[in-house]
Amino acid sequence: MAHPTQLGFQDAASPVMEELLHFHDHALMIVFLISTLVLYIIIAMVSTKLTNKYILDFQEIEIVWTVLPAVILVLIALPSLRILYSYDEINDPHLTIKAMGHQWYWSYEYTDYQDLGFDSYMIPTQDLTPGQFRLLETDHRMVVPMESPIRILVSAEDVLHSWAVPSLGVKMDAVPGRLNQTAFIASRPGVFYGQCSEICGANHSFMPIVVEAVPLEHFENWSSLMLEDA
């Protein structure tokens, strides 16, 4: 999860998020090189009184500064499109979970099970135990098996919400009357935190999201216990 004074992204916990981090570094390096070149040209033009007559009317350099930006845009667009299309690929999910946004909490329904669902409320500050995070911890976590394709169906009951977990590279708007879907694969076990990313009213800041990725055997034990309690 994020920590104070952090400048970069959170550590990736899914293959798509890893691709996004690589693309960010790729694009940032291109921006850095362009900025360095432009800064050098500006300093050179300001600091010298000499004028090159060939630069004033030079056909070849006009071709270069037209073609080169086009090539750079292609180098940025191709990996970007590949990641964009990978977001839409939901092939044979092992588990489907419906996340419903409310004012101001989330409810989860495991649609592959008959009676497995619960509401997830933020734990008030006065009820936190040592080691828990303020404004991020919930009374019920969304537990998923690691290394398995998970499909999330996202909707809302009242106003616009947004289900977002940065470490998993997931962000999907929850719109009343509309069912959106996204997917992710948790590549490692852990607890991943997110928050509603759409301003949804007075308590918008108090509806966190907690996803816990566990081995498949542990997930089966957890689901059996939840079904027994239900």
Side-chain angles (χ1 to χ4, degrees), residues 10 19 89 148 227:
Q10 298 182 25
E19 292 291 332
E89 290 184 4
S148 298
L227 290 172

Side-chain angles (χ1 to χ4, degrees), residues 23 55 125 185:
F23 174 70
I55 294 181
T125 303
I185 299 175

Side-chain angles (χ1 to χ4, degrees), residues 64-112:
V64 169
W65 68 41
T66 301
V67 173
L68 189 59
V71 173
I72 293 174
L73 288 176
V74 170
L75 292 177
I76 295 175
L78 289 180
S80 175
L81 290 172
R82 184 174 65 87
I83 297 173
L84 189 63
Y85 278 103
S86 69
Y87 261 101
D88 292 332
E89 290 184 4
I90 304 177
N91 297 323
D92 190 24
H94 295 176
L95 182 67
T96 299
I97 304 172
K98 185 167 72 173
M100 184 71 72
H102 308 265
Q103 288 182 311
W104 287 270
Y105 65 95
W106 293 96
S107 61
Y108 299 102
E109 179 184 343
Y110 290 68
T111 59
D112 299 293

Side-chain angles (χ1 to χ4, degrees), residues 129-201:
T129 59
Q132 291 185 325
F133 299 104
R134 177 178 173 269
L135 301 183
L136 288 177
E137 206 67 56
T138 60
D139 57 353
H140 291 93
R141 295 173 174 176
M142 192 187 88
V143 181
V144 298
M146 58 176 285
E147 297 180 343
S148 298
I150 309 298
R151 176 171 57 185
I152 305 295
L153 304 177
V154 184
S155 186
E157 190 178 66
D158 34 46
V159 298
L160 291 175
H161 300 279
S162 185
W163 199 85
V165 183
S167 294
L168 298 173
V170 177
K171 183 179 185 296
M172 181 58 65
D173 288 343
V175 182
R178 181 183 177 91
L179 199 63
N180 294 328
Q181 71 173 355
T182 185
F184 66 87
I185 299 175
S187 54
R188 56 185 171 86
V191 180
F192 312 109
Y193 296 90
Q195 290 177 301
C196 176
S197 298
E198 190 76 46
I199 296 177
C200 56

